[in-house]
Every structure is written in C-alpha cells, then in structure tokens.
Amino acid sequence: MLVRKLASIAVITAEERDALLALPIAVREIPARQDIVRTGDKPVHCCLVMAGLAFRYKLIGDGKRQILNFHVPGDIPDLQSLHLAVMDHNLAALTPLTAGFIPHDAVHDLNARFPCLAGALWRDTLADAAVLRERIVSIGQRDGLSRTAHFMCEMFRRLAAVGLAADCAMALPITQVEIADALGMSFVHVNRMLRELRERRLITLQGQRVLVENWAELEALADFDPAYLHLEARDRPKGI
C-alpha cells in the first residue's frame, strides 16, 4: 500500500519500489478506536496504515474532540515524527487496523540512499498539510451542506487513489459522530445534511457503503476542486 500511495503522487522507479518493499516493518493488529500514539509521546517508529482506517485528533480541556484527518491505507500519518521529537496530537485506529511500524533509522537511511523517495515522502507530508488547509476552509467558510458534500468528494478521491473506491461506490465506516467531529458540526446537523444529500439524489447510503449518484452535482454543491489532493491524473476514478 505504501508503494501504491507514493506512486499516486510521484513516479516510482523499479529500484525505489524494491527499496520500499525491503523496509523492515513490524506488523500489528490494532482494535478500533484504540490510540496508537498520544500527545507527548516520543515515537521511534513511523506508523504505516496497511488495512483499515486511522484518524488524528486533538482533545481540548473540556474533553471535546477535533478530528484533524482520516487516513487510508498507504498513509503514514505520523511521518512528521521523523523530525519532530514529541507528538502534539493523538493518532488512533478508526476501524480494526493493520499497521506497520517502520523504524525511523530505516526511513532516514532510505531517504539518504534514494533522494527521489525522500522527495516523494516530503510531497506526501505537503499534501497532508493541504488537506488540513482545505478542512480549515470548509469549517470556516462552507455551509453545512457543502461542507458535508466536500467531505464525501474528498474521501472518495483519496480511497480511489489507492484502489479502494470505484464505479462511484466506496466503503466508508465512519460514524456520523466522527464526521461531526471532523467537520465542526453537531451530530444532529450532520444527520440532517446527509438526509438532504440523499433527498437530492446525490448519494445513497447503504450501511457503511456510500454510492455517489450524481458526481457532477455533488462536486458543484461542494465547490470541490481535487487539485489540493495533488494526485496524479491517472487516479481520476472511472465515470468521474
């Protein structure tokens, strides 16, 4: 998944692919909603999402939670720990998660031997920051309906880029409470916005599965421009 993710944002040579596949990775199964690293931790490994979804979040003094981002297979959500010694937020499993832990020393060695891979990882962190900027814009300026539509467009594109969404359908095992915590809305507001998207026949919800019924109208409602995701053009899903 790491190879596929980096190949979605940069050109990866066969030698670089082999180097990525040779990285020492300790694989762990992590239960849903369990923290992986917490604020104040000093990790010595980077966490690669191999299967399932993860999320980053912060808590404020009264216990309220702000979800900063969701992470799909291929993401390394704590890549910044290579250069920032102390975690300033929490990383947790959203679903049952298969995670690979790569020693910092191995990543530093990879970067030294393959400057283009170092550039790809840097590009990945910049793209991650771009997602956060877009979320700030959504929370600050978009109304609830366009904010929710934008979130659906983003998750579809990100999942499609790693082969986990196609033909306008995606598995999205994220609760409405978690969407609310990510979008700065109440659970009731999110519920109402999802209902309106369904009534407009833009999406259909089938349990944890989302079908996009009218991509063009959903994008227009969301004011969605995928440029901030910095994905290769080849990752545009079929029919979109």
Side-chain angles (χ1 to χ4, degrees):
M1 294 307 300
L2 177 59
V3 172
R4 181 157 193 165
K5 172 61 186 295
L6 292 182
S8 76
I9 60 174
V11 176
I12 304 297
T13 68
E15 185 181 11
E16 290 165 344
R17 179 182 182 276
D18 290 343
L20 288 168
L21 293 175
L23 283 170
I25 299 179
V27 179
R28 285 173 48 199
E29 301 296 329
I30 301 173
R33 276 77 188 180
Q34 178 175 302
D35 284 341
I36 301 168
V37 289
R38 300 181 178 91
T39 299
D41 285 353
K42 298 180 179 180
V44 295
H45 297 80
C46 290
C47 175
L48 167 67
V49 178
M50 300 176 73
L53 298 178
F55 69 105
R56 290 186 289 159
Y57 71 97
K58 288 184 73 77
L59 296 173
I60 62 174
D62 62 1
K64 291 180 180 177
R65 178 180 68 174
Q66 178 65 49
I67 291 179
L68 305 170
N69 202 356
F70 296 100
H71 291 280
V72 305
D75 285 357
I76 308 179
D78 60 348
L79 192 58
Q80 72 273 11
S81 67
L82 278 171
H83 301 290
L84 300 177
V86 180
M87 288 291 290
D88 56 22
H89 60 279
N90 306 302
L91 172 65
L94 180 73
T95 65
L97 189 75
T98 302
F101 293 87
I102 310 171
H104 284 174
D105 287 347
V107 182
H108 284 304
D109 177 67
L110 180 80
N111 289 341
R113 291 187 295 118
F114 297 95
C116 289
L117 279 182
L121 291 171
W122 186 19
R123 179 182 171 91
D124 188 49
T125 61
L126 294 173
D128 184 61
V131 171
L132 183 58
R133 286 194 296 273
E134 194 69 23
R135 187 67 45 78
I136 291 170
V137 171
S138 276
I139 292 174
Q141 300 298 329
R142 293 187 175 103
D143 62 30
L145 188 62
S146 61
R147 197 183 309 177
T148 306
H150 195 280
F151 174 75
M152 291 295 174
C153 292
E154 177 187 300
M155 291 305 300
F156 192 96
R157 282 299 187 91
R158 291 175 62 195
L159 288 166
V162 292
L164 296 176
D167 299 326
C168 294
M170 64 176 166
L172 196 68
I174 301 175
T175 69
Q176 292 184 24
V177 169
E178 289 155 349
I179 294 174
D181 285 353
L183 301 186
M185 298 160 61
S186 69
F187 163 78
V188 173
H189 196 184
V190 168
N191 184 271
R192 190 164 61 247
M193 296 303 97
L194 290 174
R195 185 171 65 247
E196 184 165 347
L197 290 176
R198 293 197 305 270
E199 289 172 350
R200 292 190 182 202
R201 297 184 179 179
L202 300 182
I203 65 171
T204 297
L205 302 180
Q206 299 175 344
Q208 295 183 338
R209 184 176 172 84
V210 179
L211 303 179
V212 179
E213 302 289 354
N214 190 323
W215 183 264
E217 287 193 20
L218 188 68
E219 270 194 331
L221 176 63
D223 184 33
F224 182 74
D225 179 353
Y228 73 96
L229 295 174
H230 300 284
L231 297 171
E232 294 292 314
R234 65 178 178 272
D235 293 302
R236 186 175 178 88
K238 181 181 179 181
I240 292 177

